[in-house]
Amino acid sequence: MAPRAAPPAGARAPGNAARVLRLVHEEGPISRAELTRRTGLNRSTTLALVGELVDLGLVHEDAPATGVRGTGVGRPSPVVRASADVVAAAAVVEIDAVTVALVGLDGSVRHRRAEPQAAPPTAAEAVATVARLLDELVAHASSTTGPVRVVGIGVAVPGTVRAEDGTVQYAPHLGWHDEPVAEPLADRTGLPVAAANDADLGAWAERLAGSGRGVDDVVYLNGGASGIGGGVITAGRPLIGADGYAGELGHTFVAANGIRCHCGAVGCLETEASREALTSVAGTPPDDLRALAVALAEERPDLESVVDRQVSALVTALRNAIHTVNPEVVVLGGFLGVLLEHVGDRILDDVRAQSMPGTADRLRIVPAALGDDVLTRGAAEIGFRELLRDPAAHTGTPAQPAAAQAAAGRAPVPSSTNAPGTDRDVAAEEARTP
């Protein structure tokens, strides 16, 4: 094969390669012509950048096809697709289970394993479980679908996570206080690791690939085993806050004479609208949302009384969020999505009735679309963070179990931080991710 021609000036800049890779990763299959249009680069530069990413094994090109973004009228343009074999490990830590999945750069969830927990795991137990499950997944992938390249690990935690170093400052349902997660997992696996609040990651996943796709102002609320978590996307960027703690909508004040919350306050949303309170009256397993939907459809008076109280608390919380960030879409996941589908337009009508004129005119309230994949997809996004920052420097290696890495003397990779990008373009793109 003839050597590839030297790339044009500007093609070697990590920021340009990062921009192209991020577009392919986030938008899905996209024509080379559309990449040129979206980046503002010239065609020869785009050609060189795509060729570089192909050589790195991060993308591949297919013949022109219909139905792909940018393949319109005119000369057919090759379609660029992200690799499914370049993966991030997405770990989700909950009070009753630790789950790890391998998610391809193309967004496909390749393999997944969950390990139930009899009691909430300690931080050290969670780190050990994630590392072991990752070893098992890598071995399974190698024996079934072929080798994968793991480029990073993202960890979703139901608590406040310090953005700068991945330390879990407070996870009340897990009983964690100031527990390092990213650093010990990076030491254990030799991979870049980032950790973040689970609802923040869920919000970003729904914005990229779910019910909030393409919407720049989104509020996401999820109700699950660890209470109610919230995340906010504003102007197309996650609302993170000074230390990474913004968006705790589960602790929005909704009832003056309410139940005391574990956070110390009274009347938080997650105590006034809880999954356990609803499922205990419904008589369904806490994690069986389909059974809950069936029970709600019976419209039993005792259950409808609980529904009324919880919907009222949710409406108050959403009114507060709407007056604060003015979203276009509110996405409800977990048992909150089941409630929404049960009561229909009632939540939207009540929110509009309690909101200032104009603030909710365009508002849509919709159920989450990604289901069980929402936190997995969100965690994978921060697992890809280093790769998307500088594709040439973080392509990963064919994955091998952590024990084998240690035996080979592989140096640990520092945990991820929010360090500045290589230029203004890539720094602006990084600001869009949790």
Side-chain angles (χ1 to χ4, degrees), residues 290-307:
R290 291 181 181 178
L292 175 61
V294 171
L296 290 174
E298 297 172 359
E299 298 186 349
R300 291 165 18 209
D302 60 336
L303 188 52
E304 287 301 305
S305 177
V306 178
V307 168

Side-chain angles (χ1 to χ4, degrees), residues 218-222 228-232 249-250 252-254 269 310-327 329-333 336 340 346-352 354-356 359-360 363-366:
V218 180
V219 166
Y220 170 78
L221 280 175
N222 184 72
I228 293 179
V232 178
L249 299 178
T252 298
F253 176 72
V254 297
L269 173 62
Q310 297 204 357
V311 166
S312 177
L314 178 59
V315 166
T316 300
L318 292 180
R319 179 198 66 189
N320 294 339
I322 287 158
H323 286 159
T324 304
V325 298
N326 186 212
V329 173
V330 169
V331 179
L332 299 180
L336 297 179
L340 173 64
R346 173 180 162 189
I347 294 177
L348 179 59
D349 292 342
D350 288 356
V351 167
R352 284 177 172 162
Q354 296 184 31
S355 300
M356 292 176 60
T359 58
L363 179 69
R364 291 184 289 125
I365 301 178
V366 297

Side-chain angles (χ1 to χ4, degrees), residues 103-279:
V103 181
L105 191 58
D106 66 343
S108 60
V109 180
R110 303 288 307 280
H111 305 277
R112 187 197 321 255
R113 291 201 176 181
E115 183 165 296
Q117 304 292 301
T122 66
E125 289 169 344
V127 166
T129 301
V130 169
R132 177 168 47 77
L133 291 177
L134 177 55
D135 282 354
E136 294 174 3
L137 284 171
V138 167
H140 175 71
S142 297
S143 64
T144 55
T145 59
V148 293
R149 283 191 288 163
V150 184
V151 297
I153 302 173
V155 185
V157 180
T160 52
V161 183
R162 195 161 60 220
E164 64 191 47
D165 61 2
T167 294
V168 179
Q169 190 267 340
Y170 182 44
H173 296 282
L174 292 170
W176 296 5
H177 295 266
D178 294 318
E179 294 284 357
V181 170
E183 184 175 356
L185 189 54
D187 291 343
R188 180 77 175 260
T189 62
L191 291 164
V193 180
N197 172 263
D198 56 357
D200 287 339
L201 298 179
W204 188 247
E206 285 287 338
R207 197 262 175 179
L208 282 183
S211 294
R213 183 175 175 83
V215 179
D216 284 343
D217 296 278
V218 180
V219 166
Y220 170 78
L221 280 175
N222 184 72
S226 299
I228 293 179
V232 178
I233 309 295
T234 181
R237 298 182 178 184
L239 180 64
I240 300 299
D243 299 303
Y245 305 156
E248 285 291 333
L249 299 178
H251 295 281
T252 298
F253 176 72
V254 297
N257 297 314
I259 304 167
R260 182 165 295 280
C261 180
H262 56 76
C263 74
V266 170
C268 291
L269 173 62
E270 75 169 40
T271 56
E272 302 304 315
S274 76
R275 190 183 74 173
E276 287 66 31
L278 190 62
T279 57

Side-chain angles (χ1 to χ4, degrees), residues 56 67 77 98 105 212 219 223 230 331 338 341 374 376:
L56 292 171
S77 177
V98 175
L105 191 58
V219 166
V331 179
V338 176
E341 293 182 334
V374 63
T376 295

